[in-house]
Amino acid sequence: MAAVLGIGLMAAAGVSLAVLPRGAPSSAPEPAARIELLTARSEQVAVIDSGTLRLGDRIVRLRGVEPPSHTTACAGQDCGAAAANALAAMVRDAPVVCQLGGADGLGRPYAVCHAGGTELNRAVVAAGWARASADAPDLARAEYTARADNRGVWAQNPDW
């Protein structure tokens, strides 16, 4: 019985050793994550709101940007429409290049976009036409300054 038990333990040990990786872990670097760039000429760009663009047939969300809704009032006007118009002015007559990464709950890719040398994510928040989302601390300073200077929505609706 002891011999059977010993053989069983040795077999079990052999099996468990067989599933361990052999040799030292590979020091070869893992391939870098693929960076996807999306580029569109100005006539291929449509502004959906101050945090969402359509580039050709793709819709992208500006990472870290929370636009005002169309129900947000700004001294009798629609803040959402005013914010969208402000972003439209930023992309007018300039090609837009977006670096995609991640997606929102609806599957739309998040992006950091540039037009005419300007980062749109930061520019729309700094102009006061959007909030910085909680997961974008790099944009929080731009929002704080826009609020303090009463820019964009903050000029019309400081409680937004």
Side-chain angles (χ1 to χ4, degrees):
M1 174 110 154
V4 172
L5 183 57
I7 292 171
L9 287 174
M10 287 171 48
V15 170
S16 66
L17 289 176
V19 296
L20 292 176
R22 297 190 187 271
S26 172
S27 61
E30 292 195 23
R34 185 171 167 253
I35 296 174
E36 184 179 357
L37 291 179
L38 184 59
T39 304
R41 296 184 312 271
S42 61
E43 63 271 12
Q44 296 172 306
V45 179
V47 174
I48 296 172
D49 61 33
S50 66
T52 312
L53 295 172
R54 179 189 319 266
L55 281 71
D57 62 350
R58 304 239 353 235
I59 294 176
V60 299
R61 297 272 307 142
L62 297 179
R63 177 180 301 285
V65 175
E66 293 183 7
S69 70
H70 287 285
T71 60
T72 303
C74 284
Q77 69 174 337
D78 177 350
C79 277
N85 289 337
L87 180 58
M90 293 177 198
V91 301
R92 187 171 295 125
D93 300 326
V96 175
V97 178
C98 297
Q99 182 177 341
L100 308 180
D104 68 8
L106 298 175
R108 299 173 296 190
Y110 283 122
V112 175
C113 298
H114 292 82
T118 300
E119 181 190 316
L120 298 174
N121 307 51
R122 182 170 309 283
V124 74
V125 172
W129 294 113
R131 286 186 175 139
S133 63
D135 62 344
D138 58 314
L139 298 179
R141 183 73 161 155
E143 178 185 331
Y144 175 81
T145 303
R147 281 179 186 232
D149 293 345
N150 293 314
R151 292 187 207 140
V153 177
W154 307 113
Q156 308 295 320
N157 188 343
D159 297 325
W160 176 60

